Amino acid sequence: MITSSRQKIEEYEGRGLWQGVKLHDLLLERAARQPDLLALVDQPSRQQLVGSEPQRLTFAELQRASAHLAHRLLEQGVGFEDRVIVQLPNIVELVICYLAISRIGAIISPIPVQYGQHELDHIAKVLDARAYIAVKTLKGKPFGSLMAKTLGSHLSVLVLDENLHIDYGDDTQARRHLQKHEAANPWDANHIFTLCWTSGTTGMPKGVPRSHNMWLSVALNCIEAGDYRPGDVLLNPFPLVNMASVSAFLYPFALSGCTLVLHQPFEPEVFLQQLQNESVSFTLAPPSLLNRLAKNETLWGQFDFSALRAIGSGSAPLSPWMIEKFEGAYGIGVVNYYGSNEGISLVSRPEDIPEPSVRACMFPRFGAAGLTWPSRASKSIWTKVVDVKTGEEITEAGVAGELAVKGPTVFDGYWRADSVEVFTKDGYFLTGDLVEICGDGNRFYRIAGRCKDIINRGGMKISPSEIDVLLEGLPGTIDVAVCSYADADLGERICACVVPSDGTNAPKLDKLVDYLCEKGIARIKLPERLELFSQLPRNPLGKVQRFVLQQWVGERIAAGACAHTDQEEL
């Protein structure tokens, strides 16, 4: 299946933006050149996660394992362009599945282990999937067979350590089978390889088809941003089911000759131990952990992070003070990423934007007319801002509009869905994110929120993400975010949702407001209610699920729960 037009393929290939390389090609080349190089490492807590011992595989072992699994899939009737749902946590078998499915020209649809039967049934039907691969148990509870019990009989269910075992031995027979299959089914890097899914925070998840060429294009940007070097060790703490992990780790580790260390679910203590014990060169981490480490030099000093050159983050605005601390006191560069499964690929590197206060909340206007940047990424994506209502391009600073992107990293449309409305007439993808042109010489974008993620307080449109980032340094808190709640007079008001570090000494609303006032924020943006929670709802990418917070707060209000404090009318 090829979704890209011949014109697009010829343009991007002609400009060297698509290089015609498939994922398993990268593995085969690396295994031939460096068979004994350590390729893949499980997290130390794998036993508690899936009930089996952690593994460490060389590139030669990884190549053999993927060949065996590809052979087994063919025996199960999975063939060229068939869809295979894979629901595994970050363990070595998940990487093996990607490589094996690439080897037979099938399409992998990786889904988060957090998805339940409701989402799985929907995805299986939408895809008309041929097979489902899962773990036998997850955190000590039955998983694979239990999840698959409602799937149709036409779909092969393969459960690790039950009816699916990965072989690492001689793969001669498997390779012969694969050679015959490849000869009978020629395909190239323009064919769709993955069907990842949107977060599904509103409605059911939507499938995002992406080709090898699309993935490799964004992976090269990630390699540049993280300054990956041969022999580096990369630590991936995010689920290997979406843009952040596939583009930053899966393709790059084989392309660059790096060791990929896996981690999931996110456990700060285990993560920090892995950074030290595996001598990690680069990783991604959620802003909340980076803030915690920046606030606690004692905690940082308990570990040896001397191998760590840079660390990336994203999914929410970063804090300038955190970047200053990492780069000034710890000597670790911080890269700010902004991406999506559909192909948004913006990155703020120290090399491009040295000033932390700018890099924390702004991104270069890649591809904008008249602007140039030294990075490869700036030459592989084009952007503009359009008016949400009229679709006209916005070129002046300080006016919020929808970010539109185009280029070799961007997908062609959602799976079996009418995608006309998400593209402009000239082929730009409408991201749904609000941005403003800003900064010196109007060279940057500032993320202003989601088109539908805006608080409307008496006709004043307020971005909740702007308030979130200002509250990240609030003393006495582990996590904080704001959401709207219904109000008869103003339509919506703002509630601060706080996870306190000490339940007996939780912050009060007046102190929170004073903290924001010190930042110079407009009074119209000050929260008027505060609610305490043990944790905030986040999706598999770590993004706050604001609609869930709104539901929780609304339920408390409906139940007659009093706010901790209510602000006077503003």
Side-chain angles (χ1 to χ4, degrees), residues 52 83 152 198 264 278 306-307 314 345 413 489 534 550 567:
S52 54
R83 275 77 68 189
T198 60
Q264 190 193 359
E278 301 292 350
S306 57
S345 179
D489 296 324
S534 59
Q550 292 170 343
Q567 281 289 99

Side-chain angles (χ1 to χ4, degrees), residues 336 347-348 353 356-364 436 438-440 444-447:
N336 192 1
V347 59
S348 290
I353 309 177
S357 62
V358 178
R359 195 181 341 133
C361 59
M362 299 183 193
F363 292 89
E436 294 177 354
C438 60
D440 184 29
F444 303 99
Y445 294 126
R446 182 182 69 83
I447 310 301

Side-chain angles (χ1 to χ4, degrees), residues 457 460 462 490 494 521-528 570:
R457 186 186 186 279
M460 295 296 297
I462 300 168
L490 297 175
I494 304 171
I521 191 173
R523 288 188 61 82
I524 192 68
K525 298 179 181 179
L526 295 175
E528 299 166 83
L570 298 176

Side-chain angles (χ1 to χ4, degrees), residues 2 66 124 173 217 309 320 344 361 397 459 477 482 502 518 540:
I2 297 177
S66 63
Q173 181 181 359
S217 183
R309 291 197 309 272
I344 307 172
C361 59
T477 64
V482 301
D502 180 359
E518 291 175 0

